[in-house]
Amino acid sequence: MNEEVSIVNLIEASHALPAAWRSSLVGQAAGANIKVLRMDATTYPNESHDFDEALLVLDGQMNLCIQGKQVEVSAGEVFIVPAGVPHAVAAGSHGTLVIIDR
């Protein structure tokens, strides 16, 4: 069996993006999309999805606004947003974010 092995440096990929808050698909695994983006301390508006979404902070910090509360998600932590739940990102969030969704 000859399978190609891929390594993606997610932090480098986020820094190479032309704009903050614009995700880039870096791969797929088990039917899930793996995306990376750069947070730049500005806000990101409220949104919701018809699927669960995992938000993994690689470096920096994300200030997630969900259900009327602000939750700090630090480097190395993941927050799973359930399907249909509105969420936004507050000012001051910075670093590299990985999004896992479908």
Side-chain angles (χ1 to χ4, degrees), residues 24-82:
S24 174
L25 181 67
V26 295
Q28 294 181 315
N33 295 317
I34 302 169
K35 304 172 188 173
V36 66
L37 66 79
R38 179 172 30 90
M39 300 179 284
D40 70 349
T42 60
T43 61
Y44 192 83
N46 221 21
E47 65 178 4
S48 64
H49 313 283
D50 62 351
F51 47 82
D52 295 342
E53 179 179 54
L55 303 173
L56 169 64
V57 177
L58 287 186
D59 63 24
Q61 176 179 306
M62 178 178 59
N63 302 318
L64 185 65
C65 299
I66 189 163
Q67 297 179 326
K69 296 179 184 175
Q70 184 169 308
V71 178
E72 291 181 4
V73 185
S74 299
E77 296 180 332
V78 63
F79 190 99
I80 310 286
V81 180

